[in-house]
Amino acid sequence: MDKKIIINVSIGETRIAILEDQKLVELFFERPENERTLSNIHFGRVAKVVKGMQAAFINIGQKQDAFLHFSDIGDNFAQFNSLLGLEEAGGHRNSSSFSDPHLKQGQPILVQVTKEPIASKGARVTTNLTLPGRYLVLLPFAQTIGVSRKITNRRERRRLKELGAKMVQSGFGLVIRTISEHKEEKDLKSDYENLIKSWNEMVRQIEKETPPSLVFKDVGMLSSVVRDLFTADITQMVVDSSKMHRQIVRYLKDVSPQMVDRVELYRKKEPIFDAYNIENEISKSLARKVWLKSGGYIFFDHTEALTAIDVNSGRFMGRRSHDANSLKINLEAAKEIARLLRLRDIGGIIIIDFIDMIEEKNRKKLQQDFEHELKADRAQYSVAPLSQFGIIEMTRERVRPNLLFTISEACPACMGTGRIISNSTVAARIERWIKRYRSEKGDRALQLVVHPELAKFLTAGFNNRLRKISWKYWTRVKVVTDDSISMDDFRVLDRDGQEDLTMQFMP
């Protein structure tokens, strides 16, 4: 498989695209106002303990308090408390449940971000701290040495584990990453020493800080992609910024000199994302309706609770049986959905409504193919069997906000629902407001502030709705237009326009 990383650097943002066989499969955005917070370590303070939820909310200095479930409080919590100078050692856990870790409101605590804030939800955090490096992940106050499961050669796994045991200090554990395969001892040891240095610097900073404060900041999005994703299976990395190219080459010369030749500076006048057809792929892939080559299409609906995906036959005109035609569209859709889940970074609960099929062999084929396509996904996921209604339910790890919400904002008119209240409904609401007002007050003159389009609807033609309302309630209503007001909203002022009466007579 031909895998490339394409990087576009501009003043306002950096975009990183991952291509597999010229097809866009992952896309990352980094902007100054929306910096990556994943893996950052905070010296926080317990804001609230909710034993009914088996969780605590931690003030880490962000808009929303972070969420710490008791299951994310590690067995090494006592050592972290000792580091912070606390006497409470924390609770113990058993195999079936998590006991109260004796967290107290106002207590200082060290936590690490495992999921970034999403919508109205704060970050999710853990006390199981890790410091990621190029080849290793340092585990403070742990005793284990693990080797990536993707390293399958037994002899190599044993060699790496022995190297890890040889270099690790007492009171630390290690996870040896996939990229460490066949690396020399000096490379791993250099990475380990850098991680120990970072840990010691963080400990010294904690002694000076008062919570909430950031005590360890992981590398930015671009650096993390180079560190974590620029592995041996990447054939080429292309970047259109000479400054960024120099930074990447300098970093690789220290950690992976054999990979330097794969980094290329893009010098052409044509925008880099246009040259690799990425811009076009972004436009198509992030649309609500995504067309398939066969003529079918996939429809995405995002809600607070879940993401619903509907598969439709669209313009497809098959010549075989209904089941065979449905299988063809479903298999094409399954492959595309697996790609789009990665590209859009859709997490949480996902419901996929495939086209109904009767034959059991076709249903099994769809299930197997979909699960096979998902294997390329780095995020953790769980897939339920295809139901009798042709629906697959699944969950996918939610780490970052959905890409769609990163590059777009909710429509101010519909507030993200995709629909606004009809003009007729708003007119009826205005009439009910005036009826309430007239039942309690005697003034017969008002000013009605509405959007210009709604004003046209209320006053247009022979069937003038506002005139009818005025006659019915014996009230003179002067219409005032305002472009800034929502099309499905209104405000009512007194006859001089001095006092806003709207909320006084709302139900």
Side-chain angles (χ1 to χ4, degrees):
M1 180 184 291
D2 180 33
K3 293 182 70 173
K4 291 186 174 81
I5 297 177
I6 312 298
I7 302 170
N8 167 229
V9 181
S10 59
I11 296 173
E13 66 182 10
T14 299
R15 298 185 296 174
I16 306 152
I18 298 178
L19 307 180
E20 293 180 358
D21 293 331
Q22 313 305 317
K23 197 78 171 174
L24 180 64
V25 294
E26 291 187 60
L27 184 64
F28 304 93
F29 280 75
E30 185 171 50
R31 292 169 176 159
E33 74 275 10
N34 189 24
E35 287 189 345
R36 163 189 163 103
T37 61
L38 194 65
S39 296
N40 287 354
I41 298 177
H42 294 264
F43 184 26
R45 193 179 292 279
V46 178
K48 187 190 299 183
V49 180
V50 187
K51 293 183 179 180
M53 295 173 63
Q54 293 221 313
F57 291 90
I58 313 297
N59 178 6
I60 60 173
Q62 295 181 350
K63 288 182 180 179
Q64 294 100 2
D65 290 337
F67 180 81
L68 173 65
H69 194 271
F70 289 169
S71 63
D72 291 320
I73 297 177
D75 293 327
N76 52 11
F77 190 47
Q79 289 96 320
F80 284 119
N81 278 342
S82 176
L83 178 69
L84 299 176
L86 300 175
E87 295 180 1
E88 290 280 355
H92 302 281
R93 66 184 58 189
N94 55 49
S95 59
S96 60
S97 64
F98 300 99
S99 61
D100 178 7
H102 305 302
L103 290 177
K104 295 179 180 179
Q105 187 172 349
Q107 174 183 336
I109 187 170
L110 267 179
V111 292
Q112 186 168 31
V113 177
T114 57
K115 293 183 181 179
E116 297 196 53
I118 297 172
S120 60
K121 297 179 181 178
R124 180 151 184 169
V125 294
T126 180
T127 66
N128 292 304
L129 307 188
T130 62
L131 269 67
R134 173 68 172 170
Y135 302 114
L136 308 170
V137 178
L138 185 69
L139 311 177
F141 301 121
Q143 306 297 324
T144 59
I145 298 176
V147 179
S148 169
R149 293 178 182 175
K150 292 183 180 180
I151 300 176
T152 54
N153 184 285
R154 290 185 179 180
R155 182 176 295 178
E156 180 63 8
R157 289 180 64 87
R158 185 166 58 250
R159 181 186 78 90
L160 290 172
K161 198 158 189 175
E162 288 172 356
L163 284 177
K166 181 180 176 182
M167 72 175 73
V168 73
Q169 300 176 16
S170 176
F172 292 95
L174 285 177
V175 174
I176 301 173
R177 308 181 73 164
T178 309
I179 199 170
S180 302
E181 191 170 13
H182 305 306
K183 290 292 183 293
E184 296 181 12
E185 180 179 356
K186 63 175 184 175
D187 296 324
L188 273 62
K189 191 170 183 180
S190 174
D191 196 35
Y192 176 76
E193 289 171 354
N194 288 334
L195 291 172
I196 288 292
K197 182 180 177 182
S198 297
W199 170 255
N200 290 333
E201 288 175 356
M202 191 186 83
V203 171
R204 285 194 293 271
Q205 186 177 348
I206 291 169
E207 294 171 352
K208 303 174 186 176
E209 297 283 351
T210 55
S213 60
L214 177 66
V215 292
F216 173 80
K217 183 172 178 56
D218 196 17
V219 294
M221 180 70 73
L222 177 59
S223 301
S224 72
V225 167
V226 176
R227 182 189 68 194
D228 301 338
L229 301 183
F230 192 35
T231 51
D233 60 339
I234 300 293
T235 56
Q236 190 181 30
M237 174 184 282
V238 188
V239 56
D240 64 357
S241 163
S242 56
K243 179 181 177 182
M244 195 64 69
H245 178 263
R246 288 194 300 271
Q247 290 177 2
I248 293 171
V249 169
R250 195 181 305 123
Y251 171 76
L252 289 175
K253 281 181 177 178
D254 290 336
V255 296
S256 296
Q258 74 280 4
M259 302 284 281
V260 171
D261 292 341
R262 303 187 193 185
V263 183
E264 178 185 323
L265 176 61
Y266 182 81
R267 301 176 185 274
K268 297 178 183 177
K269 290 184 178 180
E270 183 184 14
I272 188 170
F273 270 33
D274 289 350
Y276 286 89
N277 196 38
I278 297 171
E279 214 70 74
N280 187 39
E281 282 284 316
I282 294 172
S283 300
K284 290 192 298 183
S285 300
L286 295 183
R288 201 174 180 194
K289 179 188 284 189
V290 179
W291 287 96
L292 303 171
K293 288 183 179 179
S294 64
Y297 66 87
I298 309 165
F299 200 84
F300 286 80
D301 255 332
H302 299 278
T303 72
E304 185 76 14
L306 53 82
T307 299
I309 304 173
D310 189 29
V311 179
N312 291 280
S313 56
R315 298 189 293 255
F316 176 75
M317 299 291 290
R319 297 183 178 179
R320 294 181 289 177
S321 66
H322 170 76
D323 240 43
N325 292 335
S326 299
L327 178 63
K328 177 180 172 63
I329 299 171
N330 282 340
L331 292 179
E332 186 182 4
K335 185 174 183 178
E336 187 69 357
I337 288 169
R339 180 181 77 92
L340 292 175
L341 291 179
R342 293 173 62 192
L343 175 57
R344 299 180 182 220
D345 209 2
I346 297 174
I349 299 172
I350 303 163
I351 306 294
I352 308 170
D353 183 10
F354 287 100
I355 300 171
D356 289 343
M357 296 182 296
I358 299 172
E359 295 183 26
E360 187 61 29
K361 66 176 184 179
N362 291 336
R363 294 164 61 85
K364 285 183 179 178
K365 171 72 173 169
L366 173 60
Q367 181 85 31
Q368 290 169 357
D369 277 34
F370 183 56
E371 291 182 359
H372 174 73
E373 294 294 337
L374 287 172
K375 287 181 180 178
D377 199 341
R378 291 182 296 110
Q380 296 181 4
Y381 60 86
S382 178
V383 183
L386 186 71
S387 76
Q388 62 179 5
F389 303 114
I391 292 173
I392 282 184
E393 302 169 27
M394 65 174 291
T395 60
R396 185 175 181 274
E397 181 184 21
R398 193 200 304 263
V399 176
R400 294 176 291 133
N402 185 320
L403 181 62
L404 184 65
F405 300 117
T406 301
I407 65 173
S408 64
E409 295 178 352
C411 167
C414 69
M415 300 307 293
T417 65
R419 304 182 69 84
I420 61 172
I421 303 299
S422 68
N423 287 337
S424 298
T425 304
V426 181
R429 288 179 176 176
I430 291 170
E431 180 182 349
R432 289 193 291 270
W433 189 97
I434 292 175
K435 184 177 181 179
R436 257 182 244 113
Y437 171 80
R438 289 292 291 118
S439 68
E440 296 187 29
K441 292 199 62 146
D443 199 344
R444 296 183 181 276
L446 296 168
Q447 289 189 25
L448 177 65
V449 184
V450 293
H451 190 276
E453 291 299 318
L454 181 57
K456 289 180 185 177
F457 176 81
L458 292 171
T459 59
F462 177 77
N463 189 28
N464 190 312
R465 289 168 175 78
L466 197 58
R467 185 186 300 136
K468 289 182 177 180
I469 292 172
S470 296
W471 279 104
K472 183 175 180 179
Y473 298 102
W474 204 242
T475 304
R476 183 164 59 87
V477 181
K478 178 185 176 182
V479 176
V480 179
T481 59
D482 183 353
D483 287 321
S484 66
I485 196 169
S486 173
M487 291 180 64
D488 59 355
D489 198 8
F490 65 91
R491 289 189 297 119
V492 186
L493 311 178
D494 63 8
R495 68 165 67 218
D496 300 319
Q498 299 299 314
E499 184 183 0
D500 191 332
L501 308 171
T502 316
M503 296 310 298
Q504 296 180 34
F505 299 96
M506 281 294 190

